[in-house]
Amino acid sequence: MKKTVHNFPVLFMLLVFAQMIISNYFNFSMFVTLSILPAIVICIPVSVSTLVCMTIGFATGLAVDVMADGVIGLNALALVPVALFRRMFIRIFLGEDIINRNENFSLKKNGIARISLVMICSIVLFFGIYVTAECAGTRPSWFCISKIAASTAVSYIVSLVAVNILTSKDRQ
Amino acid sequence: MSGKGNIYHYLTNALVFIILEAGALVMLYFSGPLQNIWIMKGVHAFMGTIWGGSESVKYYFSLKGENRRLVEDNDRLTGELRHYKSILDKIREQERFTWPSSDRYRYIPASVVKMSHNRQHNYIIVNKGSEDGVRERTGVITTDGAVGIISAVSRHYSYAIAFTNPEIAISARIGHEGAVGTMTWDGMSAKGAVLNEIPCHIQAEPGDTVYTSGFSVIFPPDIPLGTIVDKKLKNGATYEIKVSLFEDFREIRYVSIVCDSDFDEIEELEKR
């Protein structure tokens, strides 16, 4: 467990760096935005308080915004609510015990189905805010909804990989 | 964690959340022109809601003053209404009776100030007196018939004996050219009268109209009084005819006082 905690910041920063690369070079379509940021925020150890988690989320989002030459504040705006609701999602889908014992979750331990629910909720929340702010009332609703759906679907698959990387040490 | 600690924890989280989101929005505002407009629209909508809400609260607390102002307005408008109503009453009073122009008769419009209609000896007081040219023994009429005879006059008011009084008898004619008799109140109903002294050979049928005869200096001729209801032979020589009056004495508000310009001359001639 201690090893995991020590490795987490490094892995976290590597994944943030990976997100910066994705944002800069992997623009598949105007309907799809790929982001693993909600997943890595959700994977922040449960022992970390919501307050700290929101701050980390804000800083991470801001770093990606700056480094990815995007609209500054967009990722930060969308990521802070994910950090705020992180414990609530975990409590609902993974159970109260994880919160009470400050345990970390993993795909192996908690199952892909439950982890997927947490991921999907956080990704939908993230893209709901991200796409709304990005479109800024200039695009029709169907476009926004389509983009949220497509981005969630693509990001979910990539996020599972990110979750696996961040929580894999628990298996050891 | 205790309940108080929980609340403190949630409040801190909410505060930090708001600060971070506000910071992100500020950065978004300065970095993207679209987001700039979008955020400003949101801010304006929010401010509009806040100001609208505060205006509603302000309006609620100013209701007391508003009510006082409405009461004052109501008083003022009621006063104005009363004023215009009195003007309208005067106009109506003048326009109600448009009698045919005649050199002999002059008509003075008047309003009924007081009257009785439930007694055996009924009276009417009208708002015209000697200063308006009213004199004793002049007739009071409406378009529906003879109402009474002026018996006393003050400067501004006149007292008339109503037709619904046994002391009054009016010279009346059946039709415009029929037999003439004396009509008096029947003493029982407000619309009932009796026409006497009609010879038995005269044709008088129910429904025939009875008019003033004009054989006096009090009432001009041809004022419709009522219709014949029934007749019965009296003493084998004359008919006693029941007449239903047109005039409803309970609803009289405006009348006309008839002044005969030949009154003095005819009176003097009668005295000789």
Side-chain angles (χ1 to χ4, degrees):
Chain A
M1 180 66 81
K2 265 189 175 178
K3 196 178 179 182
T4 305
V5 172
H6 287 153
N7 285 339
F8 185 83
V10 177
L11 288 171
F12 186 91
M13 280 190 280
L14 281 172
L15 285 171
V16 171
F17 184 69
Q19 176 63 47
M20 288 172 190
I21 292 167
I22 289 168
S23 296
N24 275 312
Y25 301 107
F26 293 86
N27 296 314
F28 306 108
S29 158
M30 60 190 274
F31 282 97
V32 177
T33 299
L34 182 58
S35 180
I36 55 168
L37 293 179
I40 61 174
V41 167
I42 287 291
C43 290
I44 292 172
V46 178
S47 55
V48 177
S49 71
T50 303
L51 203 72
V52 175
C53 198
M54 282 194 293
T55 313
I56 293 169
F58 181 79
T60 307
L62 202 59
V64 172
D65 284 331
V66 173
M67 300 306 287
D69 200 21
V71 181
I72 295 171
L74 200 56
N75 277 304
L77 184 79
L79 212 49
V80 173
V82 174
L84 179 72
F85 291 108
R86 180 187 62 121
R87 277 175 170 252
M88 192 184 85
F89 290 147
I90 292 170
R91 185 180 288 115
I92 292 168
F93 297 111
L94 303 181
E96 186 77 33
D97 286 349
I98 286 185
I99 303 290
N100 292 338
R101 293 177 196 162
N102 281 336
E103 283 179 1
N104 288 326
F105 59 88
S106 67
L107 286 171
K108 176 88 174 177
K109 196 165 71 179
N110 301 93
I112 192 165
R114 289 185 169 193
I115 299 284
S116 294
L117 287 170
V118 177
M119 286 300 118
I120 289 167
C121 284
S122 57
I123 294 168
V124 167
L125 177 64
F126 175 82
F127 280 115
I129 296 164
Y130 184 95
V131 173
T132 306
E134 187 188 34
C135 294
T138 57
R139 301 289 186 125
S141 302
W142 67 264
F143 176 87
C144 296
I145 293 165
S146 304
K147 186 165 182 175
I148 291 166
S151 300
T152 302
V154 175
S155 297
Y156 162 68
I157 296 161
V158 183
S159 293
L160 282 180
V161 178
V163 171
N164 196 37
I165 292 166
L166 283 170
T167 60
S168 61
K169 293 291 177 188
D170 280 347
R171 285 175 283 173
Q172 295 169 7
Chain B
M1 199 179 282
S2 67
K4 202 173 177 180
N6 261 339
I7 291 168
Y8 176 75
H9 176 71
Y10 289 134
L11 282 175
T12 312
N13 279 351
L15 188 68
V16 170
F17 174 76
I18 290 165
I19 290 167
L20 292 175
E21 287 294 88
L25 279 171
V26 169
M27 284 186 278
L28 208 58
Y29 175 80
F30 286 110
S31 69
L34 286 179
Q35 282 74 19
N36 180 323
I37 296 164
W38 181 62
I39 290 167
M40 281 316 291
K41 260 170 74 178
V43 168
H44 286 153
F46 177 73
M47 292 307 281
T49 309
I50 295 290
W51 286 118
S54 67
E55 278 299 307
S56 299
V57 172
K58 199 175 157 188
Y59 174 74
Y60 178 79
F61 284 107
S62 68
L63 275 179
K64 194 177 175 185
E66 193 71 13
N67 280 339
R68 192 168 53 241
R69 195 182 62 75
L70 283 173
V71 167
E72 284 167 8
D73 275 0
N74 193 36
D75 284 349
R76 184 176 56 75
L77 289 171
T78 307
E80 278 181 24
L81 184 67
R82 208 174 290 127
H83 172 68
Y84 289 121
K85 210 172 172 185
S86 70
I87 292 172
L88 190 67
D89 279 351
K90 280 179 187 168
I91 292 167
R92 277 187 185 156
E93 190 180 274
Q94 284 170 353
E95 287 181 349
R96 191 172 174 86
F97 309 109
T98 47
W99 302 102
S101 59
S102 161
D103 291 340
R104 187 177 165 186
Y105 296 104
R106 187 165 62 88
Y107 300 93
I108 302 167
S111 295
V112 174
V113 175
K114 195 178 176 188
M115 73 177 295
S116 69
H117 46 74
N118 292 326
R119 302 178 185 178
Q120 273 299 304
H121 299 271
N122 295 302
Y123 66 91
I124 301 168
I125 296 173
V126 294
N127 66 343
K128 293 289 158 69
S130 56
E131 284 191 358
D132 303 293
V134 181
R135 55 197 291 179
E136 288 177 18
R137 294 192 64 206
T138 50
V140 181
I141 61 171
T142 69
T143 48
D144 291 331
V147 172
I149 297 169
I150 301 288
S151 70
V153 179
S154 70
R155 278 178 66 193
H156 301 294
Y157 296 96
S158 300
Y159 178 94
I161 300 168
F163 176 73
T164 50
N165 195 315
E167 294 167 18
I168 284 192
I170 296 172
S171 177
R173 184 197 298 274
I174 298 170
H176 288 291
E177 294 173 350
V180 175
T182 308
M183 195 170 83
T184 54
W185 178 44
D186 69 358
M188 290 180 285
S189 68
K191 297 195 83 167
V194 181
L195 180 60
N196 293 304
E197 301 166 15
I198 301 295
C200 63
H201 66 275
I202 298 296
Q203 289 285 326
E205 299 299 330
D208 287 352
T209 306
V210 178
Y211 298 90
T212 51
S213 68
F215 290 170
S216 77
V217 289
I218 297 171
F219 294 109
D222 299 324
I223 295 171
L225 298 171
T227 52
I228 294 173
V229 177
D230 194 15
K231 65 178 180 180
K232 66 177 177 185
L233 204 57
K234 195 176 177 185
N235 303 325
T238 57
Y239 280 126
E240 185 185 86
I241 298 172
K242 280 189 179 176
V243 176
S244 172
L245 297 171
F246 294 130
E247 188 67 74
D248 188 343
F249 282 80
R250 287 165 299 194
E251 292 179 1
I252 296 173
R253 277 196 69 191
Y254 305 103
V255 295
S256 286
I257 299 165
V258 191
C259 296
D260 188 344
S261 55
D262 297 340
F263 184 89
D264 291 334
E265 193 178 335
I266 293 168
E267 283 284 293
E268 199 176 321
L269 199 61
E270 278 181 345
K271 281 176 187 170
R272 286 184 198 170

